Amino acid sequence: MTTPVVSIAYHSGYGHTAVIAEAVREGAAATGATVHLIKVDEIDDAQWELLDGSDAIVFGSPTYMGTASGAFHQFAEDTSKRWFTDTWRNKLAAGFSNSGSKSGDKLHTLQFFATLAAQHGMHWVNLGLKPGWNTSEGSEHDLNRLGFFSGAAAQTNADEGPEGVHKADIATAEHLGRRVAETARTFIAGRAAVAA
């Protein structure tokens, strides 16, 4: 069985989103996948090649002013070279975001990621979790405590540093990493079966 390769292409302005990116990495690596963390504001040619060789790319950014950060938008524009050649066609994609508010318009950021993936002809992997913390017996410590379906969402108080990222949001991001890697493994096996 081929080992899935998962790359996490992310931007983190103040370190909070980097914590989430690391959690996605840990979740994917726990399945045996090869995982690359790539800071999109520092990307070089070798890292572009890592993305091109990946089975799945997970996009991550803080939500600033209702969308992904400017650094991530620049990266998205730079992917147009891959769009012209269909380099990322039929790869898997997923996403995560962090903001200071419970909602904070993170859904718009996740939708931006999904649209970017669709333009590349990629297949979107959703979070695959029911929402947590939505009953009287629920708690802020539930997985998917913010109730997002499209990807992993995190909320960190605006007056706290990266150490303030909520443990439930970290666990939710780990779940996303595992789900992406396991889905990639299934896709690889399916392609091999079709080729045979």
Side-chain angles (χ1 to χ4, degrees):
M1 178 67 72
T2 303
T3 301
V5 178
V6 177
S7 286
I8 302 160
Y10 76 99
H11 174 246
S12 183
Y14 300 98
H16 308 91
T17 308
V19 172
I20 300 301
E22 176 59 27
V24 174
R25 186 203 67 74
E26 288 182 11
T31 72
T34 298
V35 188
H36 306 292
L37 275 175
I38 297 171
K39 296 179 180 179
V40 300
D41 54 334
E42 300 175 5
I43 194 167
D44 59 26
D45 290 342
Q47 291 171 322
W48 279 111
E49 290 178 13
L50 288 176
L51 291 173
D52 295 345
S54 297
D55 299 297
I57 301 173
V58 184
F59 302 126
S61 170
T63 295
Y64 294 155
M65 302 307 292
T67 188
S69 67
F72 193 94
H73 275 270
Q74 182 60 60
F75 163 77
E77 289 183 24
D78 292 343
T79 70
S80 63
K81 294 174 184 173
R82 272 74 190 158
W83 179 84
F84 280 110
T85 57
D86 286 331
T87 305
W88 293 358
R89 185 173 183 78
N90 291 324
K91 293 184 185 299
L92 300 179
F96 61 91
S97 187
N98 179 81
S99 71
S101 298
K102 297 289 190 286
S103 171
D105 291 321
K106 286 185 281 282
L107 178 59
H108 185 259
T109 300
L110 293 172
Q111 290 171 332
F112 168 69
F113 294 156
T115 299
L116 175 63
Q119 289 185 340
H120 281 283
M122 302 170 82
H123 303 287
W124 189 256
V125 179
N126 59 48
L127 184 58
L129 284 174
K130 296 282 195 301
W133 201 19
N134 64 356
T135 68
S136 60
E137 296 179 357
S139 124
E140 67 172 300
H141 303 291
D142 292 344
L143 282 179
N144 196 18
R145 69 187 182 109
L146 301 178
F148 283 75
F149 292 91
S150 299
Q155 179 271 331
T156 309
N157 293 329
D159 59 351
E160 290 186 292
E163 71 285 349
V165 176
H166 201 286
K167 301 291 189 233
D169 296 340
I170 292 172
T172 300
E174 289 172 351
H175 169 86
L176 178 67
R178 283 191 303 275
R179 181 169 169 82
V180 169
E182 289 166 357
T183 304
R185 191 178 305 280
T186 300
F187 262 59
I188 292 168
R191 286 184 182 129
V194 169

